[in-house]
Amino acid sequence: MTTTSHSRIAHVKPPRKERFTAAGIKSIFYQCAVVGVVALMGWYLFDNVSRNLQNLGLASGFGFLDIEAPFDISWSVVPYEPGDSYARVYVIGITNTLIVAAMAIAASTGLGFLIGIARLSRNWLISRLASVYVEVVRNTPALIQVLFWFLAVFSILPRPKDGVDVAGLGILQVNNRGIYFPRALPQDGFNVTLLAIAIAVVAAVVLGIWARRRRILTGQRFPVALVMPAILVLFPATVFVLTGAPLNWEIPVLKGFNLTGGISFPPAMCAVVLSLSIYHAAYIGEAVRAGIMSVSPGQGEAAFSLGIKSSWSMRMIVLPQALRAIVPQLISNWMNAVKNTSLAVAIGFPDLVALFLQTSLNQVGYAVEIVAMVMIFYCSVSITISLLLNYYNKRVQLKER
């Protein structure tokens, strides 16, 4: 009797939840109303701007992108000549901005981690120097630092004729026109080396995943640190040599009053990259310091009791746990680094703001469209950085059971 009653109870289905309740319908109504109000406001603003432009006799739309741009651009990776379209000017501005932002983000992140670790050093001098660096840099406006490096450092370097040859081999030359280094010129057959590099990268990633799973399942460590460099370096290098080393180098040479050939970074670009790297490294250093301090000291003490070196303990135990607190702050710093590249307009570097929001706007007008395009670019880059780092942050967060 008891078994039968229990089986009946077990097979009783829970009552079905109503799909639409009064509270649910009310919530949906309010959300639709808010979306409708926002859409009406957007349409009103768009219609109002369009009418005002028509009344003033100003053209609107994006047809100006096909118009020829009559000005020159001092530095660009994308090929450009006066007379190309404003669409190409927009692409060049985006490319220059992304290059500067990527270099500043990479340099500031590496330097920031070093500064954050140095602030926690037991060496009194190192920790105090790191503290002074953070306090001075964080309390100085970024624009002032950009102007300082441009006017007080790079602008007073010697002329190209008296420039500094860092290695004495023409590999790296520095003067008041910028920094010059050789340009790689791929020859026939270099595609095979590129294919070998791609295969090596894929193999290294697969090896890393396999070694990690093997360590989790068996507890045995695979010498990834020894095998991975051999895969990433020796294999492509062997292919490169066997194919006849199909790569030449164009070394910058002094001709007249300037260096020609190779690749050059103008002083304005160097000043922007260096100043933004130093500026944001101070903030990243503080985020790293806070993240490390959030890890229990017992973690390091346990590693020390097991005979693990302090450097290995920091790299393998403390930092992986600290990243959970560091990454959210890193997102803001990376986004700010991208947006602060607009300060390059103050020293004449042709970034997106200088080329499109300043020069192009003065030439053709179309203020609404140009400002909107610049805003969309910065917004898109910031959202992309946020999505990628938030995805990584979710991967490293502890999962509650």
Side-chain angles (χ1 to χ4, degrees), residues 267-286:
M269 180 180 179
C270 298
V272 173
V273 172
L274 187 58
S275 59
L276 292 184
S277 300
I278 293 173
Y279 179 76
H280 289 283
Y283 290 90
I284 294 176
E286 283 298 279

Side-chain angles (χ1 to χ4, degrees), residues 15 51 57 197 237 262 272-273 282 305 315 324 341:
R51 290 185 178 181
I197 294 174
V272 173
V273 172
S305 65
R315 186 173 59 184
R324 302 184 182 101
T341 57

Side-chain angles (χ1 to χ4, degrees), residues 283-328:
Y283 290 90
I284 294 176
E286 283 298 279
V288 171
R289 182 179 69 90
I292 293 175
M293 292 182 66
S294 68
V295 179
S296 173
Q299 300 285 330
E301 295 172 358
F304 179 77
S305 65
L306 294 174
I308 300 176
K309 297 180 180 179
S310 58
S311 59
W312 280 79
S313 173
M314 176 63 68
R315 186 173 59 184
M316 305 297 294
I317 298 173
V318 177
L319 276 181
Q321 299 181 71
L323 282 175
R324 302 184 182 101
I326 295 172
V327 171

Side-chain angles (χ1 to χ4, degrees), residues 36-319:
V37 170
V38 172
L40 288 175
M41 291 178 61
W43 173 253
Y44 170 76
L45 292 174
F46 175 78
D47 184 65
N48 188 35
V49 171
S50 299
R51 290 185 178 181
N52 290 335
L53 290 176
Q54 291 179 359
N55 294 334
L56 294 173
L58 299 177
S60 61
F62 295 93
F64 73 95
L65 293 174
D66 296 328
I67 300 176
E68 295 182 356
F71 53 86
D72 195 7
I73 297 177
S74 60
W75 186 88
S76 67
V77 177
V78 180
Y80 172 84
E81 293 181 358
D84 288 341
S85 66
Y86 281 97
R88 181 172 288 270
V89 173
Y90 182 65
V91 172
I92 292 173
I94 289 177
T95 305
N96 291 356
T97 299
L98 290 178
I99 291 174
V100 171
M103 295 173 67
I105 286 173
S108 63
T109 302
L111 180 60
F113 270 82
L114 293 177
I115 294 298
I117 296 173
R119 288 209 64 185
L120 299 174
S121 175
R122 296 179 181 178
N123 187 299
W124 182 87
L125 180 60
I126 293 177
S127 62
R128 289 298 178 272
L129 288 176
S131 300
V132 171
Y133 167 85
V134 170
E135 295 302 326
V136 171
V137 172
R138 286 202 310 170
N139 290 287
T140 308
L143 179 59
I144 301 299
Q145 297 186 37
V146 171
L147 294 174
F148 168 78
W149 284 104
F150 180 70
L151 298 175
V153 178
F154 289 100
S155 295
I156 62 174
L157 289 174
R159 299 173 300 173
K161 184 178 180 180
D162 304 322
V164 179
D165 191 349
V166 177
L169 301 173
I171 298 176
L172 181 63
Q173 301 188 49
V174 181
N175 53 61
N176 61 1
R177 300 289 181 89
I179 298 177
Y180 294 78
F181 49 92
R183 181 199 302 270
L185 300 176
Q187 306 297 314
D188 294 338
F190 188 72
N191 292 334
V192 180
T193 303
L194 295 179
L195 179 61
I197 294 174
I199 294 174
V201 171
V202 173
V205 172
V206 173
L207 177 64
I209 296 174
W210 173 82
R212 182 174 179 273
R213 292 180 178 178
R214 179 174 181 265
R215 186 179 71 250
I216 294 174
L217 294 176
T218 64
Q220 299 178 358
R221 297 183 62 87
F222 184 81
V224 178
L226 297 177
V227 178
M228 195 167 290
I231 295 176
L232 293 174
V233 178
L234 292 181
F235 176 64
T238 303
V239 174
F240 178 74
V241 173
L242 292 177
T243 53
L247 185 66
N248 293 332
W249 294 93
E250 182 185 55
I251 299 177
V253 179
L254 180 63
K255 290 185 178 180
F257 297 99
N258 200 5
L259 294 171
T260 60
I263 299 176
S264 63
F265 289 158
M269 180 180 179
C270 298
V272 173
V273 172
L274 187 58
S275 59
L276 292 184
S277 300
I278 293 173
Y279 179 76
H280 289 283
Y283 290 90
I284 294 176
E286 283 298 279
V288 171
R289 182 179 69 90
I292 293 175
M293 292 182 66
S294 68
V295 179
S296 173
Q299 300 285 330
E301 295 172 358
F304 179 77
S305 65
L306 294 174
I308 300 176
K309 297 180 180 179
S310 58
S311 59
W312 280 79
S313 173
M314 176 63 68
R315 186 173 59 184
M316 305 297 294
I317 298 173
V318 177
L319 276 181

